[in-house]
Amino acid sequence: MLAPPEPAVLAAQLRSGDRRALARAITLVESAREADRARAEVLLAALLPHAGHSLRLGISGAPGVGKSTFIEAFGLSLLASGHRLAVLAVDPTSKKGGGSILGDKTRMPELAKSEGAFIRPTPSGRRLGGVARRTRDAIVVAEAAGFDRIIVETVGVGQSETEVAEMTDLFLLLIAPGGGDDLQGVKRGNLEVADLVVITKDDGDLAPAARRAESDFGHALHLLRPHATPPVLAVSALEGRGIDRALAEVERLAKAQNSSGAFLRRRAQQAKEALWAELSEALTDLLRDDPAVERLLPELERKVAAGTLAPAAAARAALAAFRRN
Amino acid sequence: MLAPPEPAVLAAQLRSGDRRALARAITLVESAREADRARAEVLLAALLPHAGHSLRLGISGAPGVGKSTFIEAFGLSLLASGHRLAVLAVDPTSKKGGGSILGDKTRMPELAKSEGAFIRPTPSGRRLGGVARRTRDAIVVAEAAGFDRIIVETVGVGQSETEVAEMTDLFLLLIAPGGGDDLQGVKRGNLEVADLVVITKDDGDLAPAARRAESDFGHALHLLRPHATPPVLAVSALEGRGIDRALAEVERLAKAQNSSGAFLRRRAQQAKEALWAELSEALTDLLRDDPAVERLLPELERKVAAGTLAPAAAARAALAAFRRN
């Protein structure tokens, strides 16, 4: 096995368009190993001046909604408009060494073959916070490598959509037409953060249901968010219908945000929040990994859940053990 | 000034029904002074075995919605059914030493005069996390003092409703009938956590609008939460109409939760989350108060917001300074 290249070398390689260097750089920033973290930060510091010049799109939708098919069609359309696209995935359910269906290149065969696209399978990760950090770093790497459109995709698990919405400029929610009550399966939080709602599978037998969903969600979103109603579009990725409209809508929304300054404010705010999330997570890790705290915590948690110990008192006890060490 | 009584004495006094001891105990658990915290925890440890036997109700609604009038009427109705009621307030906007309209006894004159009720003005507090902790502790004190119905009220500011929903068994959302688009002023998060929605001011000129709001919100909530649609009730606290129905609805919901075991699970989960919130907050305080970190942070935050430093790198720098100390 080759010795890992110096971060500066890796940075120069990926800036010059070397795909293997890009893949390696992302592997490096995704690594949880302490030694890799230090090298990753040197790399990120070198890349940061070249990052930030992309439009970052979050895309979420439950399994089966047709995310891959949509991203494939939407992505090819982006490439046809002269953009370069990186697809990253956030999947809190993927386990270390285990697989995840997200980001699997075989899901987007045409896009995977395209010169202008880069598809990154899901990183494996202990927990969501860490996955989110690694994805933020991967965005920086992809941007420095010249990708001007980034898609961060996620499934509707836990808080992952919120995390994705907090690291992207626009958030697209994909919804499949269902039978009867379409709002049923959709998490409300997603409807609140969506900048654009895409009804998928507007084709064949499902077309009437897709149109109905388009109108139902349009109505519900108008009620829910009268001052910031997101557009709702029915598309057929299979037949290619509506994809260009979705693309035009995304570019229009991005332009509007950009000219109002909302874009930069959102990113500055996201970066600050990311700093505090990192800090809070790192501190909690420090506490959790403390041997004295580790011995104490299970019993404290049990008592707190049973109502025999106040949460504040338990926190105080854990903190005291932590500070003694 | 009298020396503060020993926590054990205070516990015995408030258990015997001494109202001044109750007020003092709450003042003690609300105190942010380090010496008071230690005494507060002795007190809470003594009271905890006697706590937990109440129904905890969160009540939220924007200013002007008629919260005081509703709580007054609803509270008197509770007392008439033989309950003892404590009203606590969470107001993240109240500043140290400054006033807050929440919990003001003059807002609920009849209730304030009643033997079976205890109204606690809003504690002053630095920030929401702290306010939430103190309110959790105040609930324990009030329960140990024999109050079997607790109302925690809040205004719709920041995350306060979510915090209140996370420390109560049932969450009531109050909405005033408006002109035209009623859903407009209501935060979506509140609609999601509400166990019961109360439309206020179903009287006089506003009665038709109140009825319309009742139907509109009923419809919207059915769309939003098809599997857990909360009941919507129009009431007139002024004319006393609907108050007993609201009371019956609350008791019915509590009974249903209780018999399904959801009640205990919710409380155990709340307590564990409170522990981790306490820990995270205490750790962040520890970091913020560190002189080396204090010197470093403003510059780190500036760079992160400007996009010239990665959040992870900034966090690492702050953490390194913290660990050196």
Side-chain angles (χ1 to χ4, degrees):
Chain A
M1 197 174 139
L2 288 163
E6 283 308 301
V9 175
L10 204 54
Q13 287 171 338
L14 84 88
R15 291 273 304 142
S16 76
D18 183 336
R19 307 280 286 218
R20 284 191 53 206
L22 169 59
R24 273 186 165 177
I26 294 188
T27 303
L28 180 60
V29 300
E30 283 173 357
S31 168
R33 287 177 49 213
E34 194 57 26
D36 285 344
R37 285 307 312 153
R39 290 177 61 238
E41 278 175 24
V42 176
L43 175 70
L44 286 167
L47 296 181
L48 217 51
H50 308 288
H53 305 294
S54 83
L55 179 63
R56 304 168 184 168
L57 302 174
I59 295 188
S60 181
V65 80
K67 258 195 318 300
S68 325
T69 325
F70 175 78
I71 294 176
E72 167 108 332
F74 185 81
L76 290 172
S77 189
L78 270 172
L79 299 187
S81 329
H83 293 293
R84 299 189 65 216
L85 171 69
V87 180
L88 310 169
V90 170
D91 182 0
T93 61
S94 80
K95 291 282 174 299
K96 190 134 195 131
S100 162
I101 52 148
L102 280 193
D104 184 341
K105 292 182 191 186
T106 61
R107 290 189 306 134
M108 306 163 191
E110 289 301 317
L111 212 50
K113 280 189 292 192
S114 302
E115 181 59 34
F118 175 78
I119 301 177
R120 179 68 184 187
T122 315
S124 54
R126 284 183 303 159
R127 50 158 193 286
L128 188 55
V131 175
R133 204 234 17 241
R134 291 198 285 277
T135 306
R136 277 196 299 268
D137 291 346
I139 290 173
V140 167
V141 173
E143 286 177 346
F147 293 90
D148 65 337
R149 292 292 180 273
I150 312 280
I151 286 178
V152 182
E153 67 162 324
T154 186
V155 283
V157 174
Q159 297 291 311
S160 63
E161 305 97 329
T162 313
E163 298 236 359
V164 167
E166 280 166 4
M167 65 175 82
T168 51
D169 303 315
L170 292 173
F171 186 74
L172 278 62
L173 177 64
L174 269 52
I175 296 171
D181 197 344
D182 284 315
L183 284 158
Q184 188 159 323
V186 178
K187 282 200 273 182
R188 270 77 60 186
N190 287 352
L191 288 177
E192 287 171 32
V193 295
D195 296 295
L196 177 63
V197 173
V198 175
I199 310 292
T200 57
K201 305 184 183 179
D202 180 16
D203 41 45
D205 286 356
L206 284 172
R211 299 307 170 92
R212 208 165 46 239
E214 188 182 38
S215 134
D216 284 357
F217 275 95
H219 181 67
L221 285 161
H222 180 70
L223 279 173
L224 263 180
R225 300 170 53 185
H227 296 302
T229 316
V232 180
L233 289 177
V235 308
S236 165
L238 219 64
E239 301 176 0
R241 199 153 17 82
I243 297 296
D244 282 338
R245 249 177 87 213
L247 193 61
E249 202 54 49
V250 162
E251 301 291 339
R252 186 188 64 77
L253 289 167
K255 210 168 160 182
Q257 280 205 10
N258 209 356
S259 62
S260 74
F263 210 85
L264 283 178
R265 280 196 303 275
R266 179 164 167 165
R267 285 199 178 175
Q269 187 58 29
Q270 284 176 344
K272 269 208 251 183
E273 278 163 14
L275 165 60
W276 282 100
E278 294 274 346
L279 276 175
S280 171
E281 197 195 338
L283 285 167
T284 308
D285 278 354
L286 219 56
L287 179 93
R288 260 186 223 274
D289 294 347
D290 183 284
V293 174
E294 237 181 332
R295 278 192 300 276
L296 215 57
L297 256 182
E299 181 65 6
L300 291 176
E301 273 197 312
R302 199 191 55 72
K303 283 184 179 168
V304 162
T308 58
L309 183 66
R316 200 180 167 96
L319 214 65
F322 177 64
R323 296 188 72 170
R324 266 197 303 277
N325 256 26
Chain B
M1 199 173 140
L2 287 163
E6 283 308 302
V9 175
L10 205 52
Q13 287 171 337
L14 83 88
R15 292 274 302 142
S16 77
D18 183 335
R19 307 280 286 218
R20 285 192 52 204
L22 169 58
R24 273 185 165 178
I26 294 189
T27 303
L28 180 60
V29 300
E30 283 173 356
S31 168
R33 287 177 48 213
E34 195 56 25
D36 285 345
R37 286 306 312 152
R39 291 178 60 237
E41 279 175 23
V42 176
L43 175 70
L44 287 167
L47 297 181
L48 218 49
H50 308 289
H53 305 295
S54 83
L55 179 63
R56 303 168 185 169
L57 303 174
I59 295 189
S60 181
V65 79
K67 260 196 316 299
S68 325
T69 325
F70 175 78
I71 294 176
E72 166 107 333
F74 186 81
L76 290 172
S77 189
L78 271 172
L79 298 188
S81 327
H83 294 293
R84 299 188 66 215
L85 170 70
V87 180
L88 310 169
V90 170
D91 182 359
T93 62
S94 81
K95 292 283 175 299
K96 191 134 194 129
S100 161
I101 53 147
L102 280 192
D104 184 339
K105 292 181 190 186
T106 62
R107 290 190 306 134
M108 307 161 189
E110 289 301 316
L111 212 51
K113 279 188 292 192
S114 302
E115 182 60 33
F118 176 78
I119 301 177
R120 179 69 183 187
T122 315
S124 53
R126 283 184 305 158
R127 53 162 188 281
L128 188 55
V131 175
R133 200 222 39 225
R134 291 198 285 277
T135 306
R136 278 196 299 268
D137 291 347
I139 290 174
V140 167
V141 172
E143 286 177 346
F147 292 89
D148 65 338
R149 291 294 179 272
I150 312 279
I151 286 178
V152 182
E153 66 161 326
T154 186
V155 282
V157 174
Q159 298 290 311
S160 63
E161 304 96 329
T162 313
E163 298 236 357
V164 167
E166 280 167 4
M167 66 175 82
T168 52
D169 304 315
L170 291 172
F171 186 74
L172 277 63
L173 177 63
L174 269 52
I175 295 171
D181 198 343
D182 284 316
L183 283 158
Q184 186 160 324
V186 178
K187 282 201 274 184
R188 271 78 59 188
N190 288 352
L191 288 176
E192 288 171 31
V193 295
D195 296 295
L196 176 64
V197 173
V198 174
I199 310 291
T200 56
K201 305 185 183 178
D202 180 16
D203 40 45
D205 286 358
L206 285 171
R211 299 305 171 93
R212 210 163 47 237
E214 187 182 37
S215 137
D216 285 356
F217 276 94
H219 181 68
L221 284 161
H222 181 70
L223 280 172
L224 264 180
R225 301 170 52 184
H227 295 303
T229 316
V232 180
L233 288 178
V235 308
S236 165
L238 219 64
E239 300 176 0
R241 202 155 12 83
I243 297 296
D244 281 339
R245 251 176 85 213
L247 193 61
E249 203 53 49
V250 162
E251 300 291 339
R252 186 188 65 77
L253 289 167
K255 209 169 163 183
Q257 281 205 9
N258 209 357
S259 63
S260 74
F263 208 87
L264 283 178
R265 280 196 304 276
R266 179 165 168 165
R267 285 201 177 174
Q269 188 58 31
Q270 285 176 343
K272 269 208 251 184
E273 279 163 14
L275 166 59
W276 283 101
E278 295 272 346
L279 275 175
S280 172
E281 196 195 340
L283 285 167
T284 309
D285 279 354
L286 218 57
L287 179 93
R288 261 185 222 273
D289 294 347
D290 183 285
V293 174
E294 238 181 332
R295 276 192 301 275
L296 216 56
L297 257 183
E299 181 65 5
L300 292 175
E301 274 197 312
R302 201 191 54 73
K303 284 184 178 167
V304 163
T308 57
L309 182 66
R316 200 179 168 96
L319 213 64
F322 177 64
R323 297 188 72 171
R324 268 197 302 277
N325 257 24

